[in-house]
C-alpha cells in the first residue's frame, strides 16, 4: 500500500467490537489458571480498548477484574492513579493499547510494572502495524496490517457513542 494523505477506514465499529470480543475469549482461555486479572489501558484509546475487553471478560468469565491505567506523558508513561500494590502483586496483568508500532510505549509500561511483581504480564493490541524498534510482540492482536514507514494508523474513539473505528493514511 503506497503512502497517501487520503484517510481510509480499515476497521468499522462493528468489526472492532467483534475483534475485542474474540480477544476477550482468548484472554480468558489463557488465564483460566488465575482468579485475578489487572487491565492497564495506555492513554485514552488504550483505555477505551481495555474498557471494552473488561466488559466482555465480565460477561464471559469469573475473573476478578481490576483496572490500573497508564497515561502518556512527554517522556514516557505515568499511572493514571497510584496503583495498589496488592492489586498487581501476584496477579496477571494485561497491558492494553490501540496500536502497536515501535513497541516503546509497552517497554515503558513494562518498566513501571517490574517493581510491582505481577505474576505475569501479557499485552493486547487492537492493531499491530509492524516496524517494531524493540523486541515486543503482542500476545493478543485484533488485526495485523503491513504498512510503510510513511503511513499512519489510528483508532478514533467517539466517547459519546462508545464506538471506535480504525483508519490508515
Amino acid at each position: 500500500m503506497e503512502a497517501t494523505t487520503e484517510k481510509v477506514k480499515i476497521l468499522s465499529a462493528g468489526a472492532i467490537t467483534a475483534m475485542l470480543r474474540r480477544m476477550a475469549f482468548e484472554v480468558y482461555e489463557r488465564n483460566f489458571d488465575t482468579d485475578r486479572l489487572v487491565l492497564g489501558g495506555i492513554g485514552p484509546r488504550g483505555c477505551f480498548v481495555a474498557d471494552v475487553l473488561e466488559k466482555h471478560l465480565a460477561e464471559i468469565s469469573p475473573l476478578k477484574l481490576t483496572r490500573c491505567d497508564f497515561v502518556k506523558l512527554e517522556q514516557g508513561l505515568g499511572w493514571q492513579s497510584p496503583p495498589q500494590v496488592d492489586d498487581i502483586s501476584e496477579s496477571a496483568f494485561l497491558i492494553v493499547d490501540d496500536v502497536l508500532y515501535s513497541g516503546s510505549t509497552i517497554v515503558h509500561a513494562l518498566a513501571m510494572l517490574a517493581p510491582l511483581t505481577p505474576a505475569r504480564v501479557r499485552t493486547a493490541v487492537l492493531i499491530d502495524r509492524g516496524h517494531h524498534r524493540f523486541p515486543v510482540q503482542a500476545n493478543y492482536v485484533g488485526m495485523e496490517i503491513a504498512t510503510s514507514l510513511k503511513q499512519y494508523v489510528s483508532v478514533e474513539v467517539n466517547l459519546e457513542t462508545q464506538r471506535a473505528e480504525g483508519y490508515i493514511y
Side-chain angles (χ1 to χ4, degrees):
M1 193 176 246
E2 292 295 315
T4 179
T5 57
E6 180 185 342
K7 187 169 159 179
V8 177
K9 186 187 298 186
I10 56 173
L11 285 175
S12 68
I16 288 175
T17 299
M19 282 180 181
L20 291 174
R21 183 154 180 84
R22 177 188 49 81
M23 289 171 65
F25 276 101
E26 287 181 57
V27 169
Y28 178 44
E29 288 169 1
R30 294 189 201 168
N31 286 282
F32 69 90
D33 60 340
T34 187
D35 59 344
R36 291 176 27 168
L37 178 66
V38 181
L39 290 93
I42 298 176
R45 292 178 304 279
C47 288
F48 172 81
V49 174
D51 287 343
V52 178
L53 278 175
E54 182 179 25
K55 179 184 134 239
H56 290 307
L57 284 165
E59 291 172 358
I60 65 170
S61 80
L63 293 171
K64 179 181 181 233
L65 303 170
T66 307
R67 289 294 291 276
C68 192
D69 294 326
F70 303 92
V71 292
K72 290 186 178 182
L73 306 171
E74 270 188 47
Q75 298 296 319
L77 294 177
W79 293 109
Q80 190 163 353
S81 58
Q84 300 297 318
V85 176
D86 291 345
D87 286 340
I88 296 174
S89 180
E90 303 304 318
S91 293
F93 196 102
L94 183 63
I95 298 171
V96 183
D97 207 356
D98 60 335
V99 178
L100 175 56
Y101 177 41
S102 72
S104 63
T105 306
I106 290 177
V107 168
H108 286 286
L110 289 168
M112 292 175 64
L113 282 171
L116 302 174
T117 64
R120 68 176 161 254
V121 178
R122 300 288 184 261
T123 55
V125 297
L126 185 58
I127 302 170
D128 183 346
R129 62 163 288 192
H131 307 292
H132 305 176
R133 287 187 297 151
F134 296 93
V136 172
Q137 298 295 319
N139 301 99
Y140 310 100
V141 179
M143 171 189 208
E144 291 183 37
I145 184 168
T147 63
S148 75
L149 290 172
K150 295 178 182 178
Q151 289 176 308
Y152 184 74
V153 174
S154 70
V155 174
E156 296 180 7
V157 176
N158 182 329
L159 293 176
E160 287 181 26
T161 62
Q162 289 296 299
R163 295 171 65 89
E165 297 179 322
Y167 294 92
I168 188 168
Y169 40 108

